[in-house]
């Protein structure tokens, strides 16, 4: 599973182009034919051997003809290496939105994303079926998140370059740059009538993938923004720090926030799931080749114990983040709250090539412990809570209670000489983040009812198989 995620698989526009490369090399060895008819004759002369291999001769002839037409009539001269490399890129791009040809710069970008340090604005993007460059999720505490960019925002232009016709790799390269340099994005938000321009300054993105804090005594918050090579260790340290910060008050509940988490490494998703599970399967994968069929299970040791858990997800929760959500949901270890997740259920392998480049190729689909594939479906929350904002009623409270009345009877169990106090201020958590506030309320309810009773009342009966 790669660090980048995208949208639904695109149509197969360039099928079987892999077999065109050997033919092209043969043609180039003797010079490119002057006319398309020569190319047809060259392909026909080799028809017997190609037929034996089951290769699509007509498509090979067409490829040779297109290659020759470009060489002969395109407005600018294009060298053979460029044409062949573009053909390979198209070959992979036509499979699905996540497979790609990686040159050496792409290798570097992939390493930067995996290690969590790169120069840019801090967003994960994907290419929709119609070719629109769409934001999957902004990375926490980056120029993109501070500028208010949101999942599903469509990027129409970067500086003065329209996105139409550009690949995702080309678009990402435009957004990368030196620290402090300025970039302008023309963005169309979901539901908006007109695009808006957003001006940002690039920064060195050193994103720690895990953060934590106490929401209030006994209730912790663990945020995982993406799944990198160090995410599992970071999360273990974060849980330890939460317990130390809680002091004498034991943790009575924990919110795991996976909203706008675009995914990342499969191994990191397994490690995070294992923090909360003591047994059972976490995820398994299935593909065409035997070595693509893997299964991962939880170990008995778990630093989180049986602390009640609520997982927050939304439309930006993708890939590895959905593996964690699906495992915890299927094993009934947590209540999933929020909105439906992104729905990327495929795994990508990165394969080196002899020339120093590489392939990022979809090789398998993954399944939750109960055998669910979330490809193009997503994880459905147990409790749906849409993004919103809680506004405090600042009007003066003129209500009168018994304790406010003159001549009242005192409480026999204690001193009631002081008039009743008004309700405390609304929690800051609920005001700034409605979904998080609801998760905290649910954890409190689980402690009142008991975990098993709360799970039974909250989770649908169909989720247990």
């Amino acid at each position: 599973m790669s660090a980048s995620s995208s949208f639904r698989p695109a149509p197969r526009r360039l099928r079987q182009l892999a077999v065109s490369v050997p033919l092209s090399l043969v043609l180039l060895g003797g010079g490119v034919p002057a006319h398309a008819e020569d190319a047809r004759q060259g392909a026909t002369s080799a028809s017997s051997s190609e037929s034996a291999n089951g290769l699509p001769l007509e498509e090979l002839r067409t490829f040779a003809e297109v290659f020759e037409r470009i060489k002969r009539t395109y407005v600018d001269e294009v060298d053979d290496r460029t044409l062949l490399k573009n053909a390979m890129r198209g070959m992979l791009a036509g499979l699905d939105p996540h497979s790609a040809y990686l040159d050496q710069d792409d290798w570097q970008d992939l390493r930067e994303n995996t290690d969590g340090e790169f120069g840019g604005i801090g967003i994960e993007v994907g290419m929709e079926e119609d070719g629109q460059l769409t934001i999957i999720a902004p990375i926490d505490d980056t120029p993109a998140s501070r500028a208010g960019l949101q999942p599903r925002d469509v990027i129409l232009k970067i500086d003065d370059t329209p996105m139409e016709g550009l690949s995702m790799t080309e678009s990402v390269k435009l957004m990368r740059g030196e620290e402090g340099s300025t970039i302008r994005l023309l963005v169309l938000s979901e539901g908006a009538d007109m695009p808006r321009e957003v001006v940002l300054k690039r920064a060195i993105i050193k994103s720690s993938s895990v953060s934590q804090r106490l929401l209030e005594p006994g209730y912790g918050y663990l945020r995982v923004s993406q799944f990198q090579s160090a995410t599992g260790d970071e999360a273990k340290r974060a849980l330890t720090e939460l317990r130390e910060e809680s002091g004498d008050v034991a943790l009575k509940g924990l919110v795991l926030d996976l909203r706008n988490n675009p995914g990342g490494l499969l191994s990191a998703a397994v490690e995070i799931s294992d923090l909360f599970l003591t047994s059972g399967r976490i995820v398994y994968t299935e593909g065409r080749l035997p070595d693509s069929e893997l299964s991962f299970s939880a170990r008995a040791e778990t630093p989180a114990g049986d602390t009640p858990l609520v997982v927050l997800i939304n439309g930006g929760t993708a890939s590895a983040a959905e593996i964690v959500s699906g495992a915890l949901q299927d094993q009934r270890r947590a209540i999933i709250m929020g909105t439906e997740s992104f729905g990327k259920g495929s795994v990508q392998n990165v394969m080196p090539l002899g020339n120093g480049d590489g392939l990022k190729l979809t090789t398998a689909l993954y399944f939750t412990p109960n055998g669910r594939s979330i490809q193009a479906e997503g994880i459905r929350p147990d409790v749906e809570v849409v993004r919103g904002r809680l506004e405090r009623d600042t009007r003066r409270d003129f209500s009168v209670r018994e304790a406010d009345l003159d001549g009242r009877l005192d409480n026999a169990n204690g001193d009631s000489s002081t008039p009743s106090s008004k309700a405390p201020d609304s929690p800051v958590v609920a005001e700034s983040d409605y979904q998080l506030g609801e998760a905290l309320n649910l954890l409190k309810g689980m402690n009142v009812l008991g975990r098993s009773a709360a799970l039974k009342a909250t989770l649908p009966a169909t989720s247990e198989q």
Side-chain angles (χ1 to χ4, degrees), residues 359-436:
L359 301 181
K360 186 176 70 168
L361 188 64
T362 299
T363 56
L365 297 176
Y366 73 77
F367 298 83
T368 69
N370 284 351
R372 291 185 295 160
S373 171
I374 58 88
Q375 175 61 29
E377 293 289 337
I379 298 290
R380 292 183 175 86
D382 302 308
V383 180
E384 184 174 7
V385 179
V386 299
R387 185 179 173 216
R389 181 178 158 193
L390 184 66
E391 294 189 1
R392 189 194 310 227
D393 188 352
T394 57
R395 294 174 298 180
R396 187 176 176 185
D397 186 1
F398 291 100
S399 61
V400 177
R401 300 175 64 228
E402 174 72 14
D404 300 316
L405 299 177
D406 292 334
R408 68 188 182 279
L409 296 176
D410 290 335
N411 188 292
N413 294 326
D415 181 15
S416 59
S417 59
T418 304
S420 64
S421 60
K422 302 301 179 185
D425 290 342
S426 301
V428 175
V429 168
E431 286 187 24
S432 60
D433 189 334
Y434 178 68
Q435 291 173 318
L436 181 55

Side-chain angles (χ1 to χ4, degrees), residues 284-302:
Y284 67 96
T285 66
E286 291 183 354
R288 290 175 56 205
L289 300 178
D291 61 0
S292 64
E293 296 184 359
L294 305 172
S295 181
F296 301 89
S297 297
R299 297 169 296 180
E301 304 82 12
T302 169

Side-chain angles (χ1 to χ4, degrees), residues 296-328:
F296 301 89
S297 297
R299 297 169 296 180
E301 304 82 12
T302 169
D306 61 352
T307 304
L309 181 66
V310 173
V311 179
L312 287 176
I313 65 172
N314 66 1
T317 303
S319 193
E322 292 172 296
I323 287 179
V324 176
S325 305
L328 297 177

Side-chain angles (χ1 to χ4, degrees), residues 63-116:
F63 178 86
E65 182 176 354
V66 170
F67 192 95
E68 183 272 333
R69 294 274 180 97
I70 294 172
K71 290 286 294 182
R72 184 160 53 91
T73 62
Y74 185 65
V75 61
D76 294 322
E77 283 192 17
V78 186
D79 64 85
D80 299 335
R81 290 180 181 273
T82 299
L83 286 177
L84 290 171
K85 186 162 283 191
N86 287 342
M88 290 185 284
R89 290 185 185 279
M91 197 189 315
L92 287 150
L95 297 174
D96 63 74
H98 310 294
S99 296
Y101 186 93
L102 305 176
D103 59 24
Q104 294 183 14
D105 289 338
D106 298 327
W107 271 107
Q108 180 63 27
D109 292 341
L110 186 61
R111 283 193 295 269
E112 289 173 351
N113 289 333
T114 303
D115 294 338

